[in-house]
Amino acid sequence: MKINLDFGAILERWPSFVSGAIMTLELAVIATVLGTAIGVLGAIARRSGHPVATRVAAFYVESIRNTPLLVQIFLVYFGLASLGVKFPAFTVAAAALTINVGAYTTEIIRAGFDAIPKAQIEAAEGLALSKPQIYWHVVMLPAIEKVYPALTSQFVLLMLASSVTSQISAEELTAVANYIQSDTYRAFETYILVAIAYVALSLVMRAGFYGLGLVMFPRRRRLGTPL
């Protein structure tokens, strides 16, 4: 069987691919930043010992982790519309991705908190550090440093998962590919290029996180610990 590949008509649409890739990165960056903030607050709530905060955080995490991302996107998209609240597809996509990654980030950061030895906190208290100083320098930063590789992998997976937002017409990379292949009838060639683009975006994100890790955790660089 002979396969005839023709990328000519596809490559002519390169501005559309670039636009889709940029939107994909924008979704990933927004969800990463906001999801990290939610994750930190959620992890603090889960370890706070306050019954209401702990249960609310646990309900949020379990609800998100046990439902498909696509269903969550539909709930946000159609749920808001049923209430008469309409937002652009990009806004809804960013919100749904943020809610999703926030739950996973909560558990990852909580694991980092749990890995901090109690003796380390007691030593900080013995040095008369204030509670904010202890939480930031002795708990928060070391905890995030311990789980940084897991966090970055989760954020790259989030970027790849953003492809499902094409179902609500968010014009990210996969949505652009769907339009192009339906117009050119070159589905195989189109998705080959999209797969390559996603690999490139993943490498860009991993390189960015590696550089950020070197800045945030210089001790790891001195010790040669992987980021």
Side-chain angles (χ1 to χ4, degrees):
M1 183 175 65
K2 185 177 180 180
I3 300 178
N4 294 317
L5 298 179
D6 182 9
F7 290 93
I10 310 301
L11 293 175
E12 289 178 358
R13 313 294 180 89
W14 68 265
S16 297
F17 281 111
V18 172
S19 176
I22 291 173
M23 178 172 286
T24 296
L25 283 177
E26 289 175 345
L27 287 171
V29 170
I30 292 172
T32 294
V33 173
L34 298 180
T36 299
I38 292 174
V40 170
L41 295 175
I44 293 172
R46 294 211 66 176
R47 297 182 76 254
S48 66
H50 190 283
V52 175
T54 301
R55 290 173 183 174
V56 169
F59 176 77
Y60 161 62
V61 169
E62 295 305 319
S63 298
I64 296 301
R65 294 204 305 171
N66 290 288
T67 53
L69 173 58
L70 183 57
V71 172
Q72 296 165 19
I73 292 172
F74 284 159
L75 284 173
V76 176
Y77 187 68
F78 295 113
L80 291 175
S82 66
L83 296 174
V85 180
K86 294 185 179 181
F87 289 106
F90 177 86
T91 303
V92 174
L97 291 173
T98 297
I99 293 169
N100 179 271
V101 78
Y104 290 93
T105 304
T106 294
E107 287 300 278
I108 293 173
I109 295 178
R110 183 173 72 91
F113 286 166
D114 291 341
I116 302 300
K118 290 184 178 179
Q120 189 168 312
I121 299 175
E122 292 170 355
E125 292 173 344
L127 294 172
L129 295 179
S130 66
K131 287 187 177 181
Q133 288 176 322
I134 293 174
Y135 216 91
W136 178 253
H137 296 288
V138 181
V139 178
M140 183 74 70
L141 289 180
I144 293 179
E145 181 179 359
K146 288 178 181 294
V147 299
Y148 189 71
L151 279 176
T152 57
S153 294
Q154 185 63 49
F155 295 144
V156 172
L157 289 174
L158 166 74
M159 183 274 294
L160 298 175
S162 68
S163 60
V164 300
T165 63
S166 61
Q167 297 299 308
I168 59 170
S169 301
E171 296 184 0
E172 46 72 61
L173 190 56
T174 299
V176 169
N178 292 339
Y179 298 147
I180 291 176
Q181 67 86 20
S182 65
D183 191 33
T184 62
Y185 300 100
R186 289 289 177 177
F188 188 46
E189 293 92 330
T190 300
Y191 291 114
I192 287 176
L193 293 180
V194 168
I196 294 172
Y198 275 116
V199 171
L201 291 176
S202 297
L203 294 176
V204 168
M205 287 190 68
R206 290 185 185 278
F209 285 129
Y210 180 80
L212 180 62
L214 293 179
V215 174
M216 292 180 63
F217 313 117
R219 186 173 65 88
R220 279 181 171 255
R221 178 174 53 186
R222 292 195 300 270
L223 297 177
T225 307
L227 290 169

